Amino acid sequence: MFVIRRSSFVILLMHLSPENRIAGVLVPLFALRRDDDLGIGDVGALREFIDWIAEIGFTLVQLLPINETGADNSPYNAISAMAIEPTTVQLAPDSPEDLTRNDFARSLSEINLAGLRRGRIKYRQVKEFKQRVLEKAFANFSARADDKRQSEFRRFCEEESSWLRDYALFRVLVEGHNGNAAWDHWPSQHQTIESARSWVRELPQDKQVAVIQRLDFFCYVQWIAHQQWRDVKAHAEERGVALMGDIPFGVSYYSADVFSRPNEFMLDWFGGAPPEPHFKDDAFTQKWGQNWGIPVYRWSAKRANNFQWWRERVRATRRIFHLFRIDHVQGFYRVYAFP
């Protein structure tokens, strides 16, 4: 499904409409590797790819979902429908501007960079390394950022308040449970967004301060990610190239969205696909179909708040992409579900 911002001057300038044929490339961002990357494709590689696309006369780059992934690293099983995957952030001296040359050099000296770059993507190592580098940038930001930059960060947090703080709390809890996002197996004081907020408020002051710092860190990472992606979008516009995003219709059961809005999902029904006779080696799929494990939406609850979550999800995507598709858009009309 193509969704077009007809009010956008850029879209009109590019003549992007269903009536006009264009040529483009679909590419997974993680596959855009460079000689000097950090083990995975990032927005820096995407910028170079956009330049190449423009030079050969194409006008579209389509990407897989860029939302933050969980333990399985699948872009279609993200732990947040709003948050951007931190490994997409380009890290280098002054990128972000809080990252010093010395801090970056020290970080590189602590890893086997050649091994990280060689072969298939080593997701766990890449994620851990990039988080450590971002933590150094955040420490510098917290200690030395001027009032203007601090104000910009606070403004971002306010603008994204409908999801950002709950997402950050979810990330803090996942981290506190050794990377386990299965919130329904956490201690009772962590299993709902309300009880988790109360837990933070009731912590001793020193521990509460530490938690708040981690909340701010995860918000900071999203601030940097959104800045870099919007800059890439602007660069694409300068080169006459449109970026096309991808919204999976469903979300992971173990996501910040389900954790913070459980009443908007039917947690005992899971979406999937009807039986497929072509799966000769999978008797279950042949007989019953595919169970994707994504909770079915409780549309009555979505309708009650005027589909706020879906509207915010679309707005977040439109801020970064000129076009987008909704994967399995027919889910708006019918869903094959498993109890």
Side-chain angles (χ1 to χ4, degrees):
M1 176 183 181
F2 292 85
V3 179
I4 298 177
R5 299 176 62 186
R6 294 188 180 274
S7 62
S8 169
F9 172 75
V10 173
I11 292 297
L12 294 174
L13 188 64
M14 292 178 181
H15 305 293
L16 296 179
S17 79
E19 290 76 33
N20 296 325
R21 288 188 176 185
I22 60 174
V25 177
L26 166 62
V27 61
L29 179 61
F30 56 77
L32 292 179
R33 304 297 301 278
R34 299 179 296 164
D35 290 339
D36 61 347
D37 68 25
L38 298 178
I40 196 168
D42 57 24
V43 295
L46 178 57
R47 182 183 291 264
E48 294 181 7
F49 189 71
I50 289 168
D51 291 338
W52 178 72
I53 286 293
E55 289 169 6
I56 64 174
F58 283 8
T59 54
L60 180 81
V61 175
Q62 181 179 353
L63 297 166
L64 302 185
I66 63 169
N67 299 106
E68 184 169 0
T69 61
D72 64 359
N73 306 306
S74 170
Y76 293 94
N77 192 38
I79 63 170
S80 172
M82 310 294 181
I84 294 173
E85 168 56 44
T87 59
T88 67
V89 171
Q90 181 183 13
L91 297 176
D94 300 319
S95 177
E97 67 179 76
D98 310 295
L99 184 61
T100 68
R101 184 170 298 277
N102 287 339
D103 281 338
F104 186 67
R106 278 196 296 270
S107 297
L108 293 183
S109 69
E110 296 168 356
I111 63 167
N112 176 6
L113 188 56
L116 197 66
R117 290 170 173 165
R118 186 169 51 247
R120 302 178 70 175
I121 296 170
K122 302 165 183 64
Y123 282 101
R124 182 179 60 81
Q125 294 95 319
V126 169
K127 286 184 175 183
E128 290 175 354
F129 172 67
K130 283 205 162 187
Q131 178 162 312
R132 289 197 301 271
V133 177
L134 285 164
E135 285 170 345
K136 291 183 179 182
F138 175 66
N140 293 337
F141 168 80
S142 300
R144 298 195 287 269
D146 59 25
D147 291 344
K148 179 177 181 295
R149 189 156 169 77
Q150 292 275 2
S151 177
E152 290 172 354
F153 173 58
R154 289 193 297 270
R155 183 166 60 251
F156 170 80
C157 293
E158 179 62 29
E159 290 172 351
E160 306 299 327
S161 60
S162 65
W163 65 272
L164 182 61
R165 211 65 181 176
D166 287 346
Y167 153 79
L169 180 53
F170 179 76
R171 286 295 286 110
V172 167
L173 292 170
V174 170
E175 187 175 68
H177 293 288
N178 300 314
N180 179 14
W183 50 266
D184 54 353
H185 294 284
W186 293 345
S188 58
Q189 67 266 34
H190 296 163
Q191 286 191 7
T192 70
I193 191 67
E194 294 82 7
S195 63
R197 290 170 183 159
S198 297
W199 169 76
V200 174
R201 288 193 297 268
E202 294 168 5
L203 285 172
Q205 185 174 9
D206 58 336
K207 293 184 178 180
Q208 187 180 89
V209 168
V211 168
I212 291 173
Q213 287 177 338
R214 290 308 284 174
L215 290 171
D216 287 344
F217 166 70
F218 287 114
C219 292
Y220 170 84
V221 172
Q222 289 304 307
W223 178 47
I224 297 302
H226 280 75
Q227 283 181 330
Q228 290 196 1
W229 274 97
R230 293 183 193 186
D231 288 346
V232 167
K233 180 182 182 182
H235 178 71
E237 292 171 357
E238 292 174 0
R239 298 307 308 267
V241 174
L243 296 180
M244 182 173 176
D246 194 354
I247 299 180
F249 177 74
V251 297
S252 172
Y253 186 94
Y254 293 121
S255 64
D257 310 272
V258 175
F259 174 70
S260 61
R261 295 171 172 262
N263 64 305
E264 297 185 24
F265 299 86
M266 300 176 67
L267 301 183
D268 52 357
W269 284 89
F270 302 95
E276 291 279 359
H278 302 292
F279 285 79
K280 302 299 184 183
D281 299 325
D282 189 337
F284 181 90
T285 299
Q286 279 191 312
K287 183 176 182 179
W288 301 107
Q290 299 177 49
N291 185 345
W292 298 334
I294 57 174
V296 173
Y297 294 114
R298 191 180 300 278
W299 288 112
S300 58
K302 297 287 188 189
R303 188 179 298 109
N305 60 26
N306 197 26
F307 306 97
Q308 178 193 24
W309 180 85
W310 260 108
R311 290 176 185 275
E312 182 56 39
R313 194 180 187 191
V314 170
R315 279 194 293 267
T317 303
R318 289 177 61 180
R319 284 194 289 266
I320 294 171
F321 296 101
H322 302 97
L323 311 169
F324 64 87
R325 74 158 189 154
I326 296 179
D327 184 16
H328 209 71
V329 69
Q330 67 181 4
F332 282 114
Y333 309 100
R334 59 182 174 86
V335 172
Y336 188 84
F338 291 80

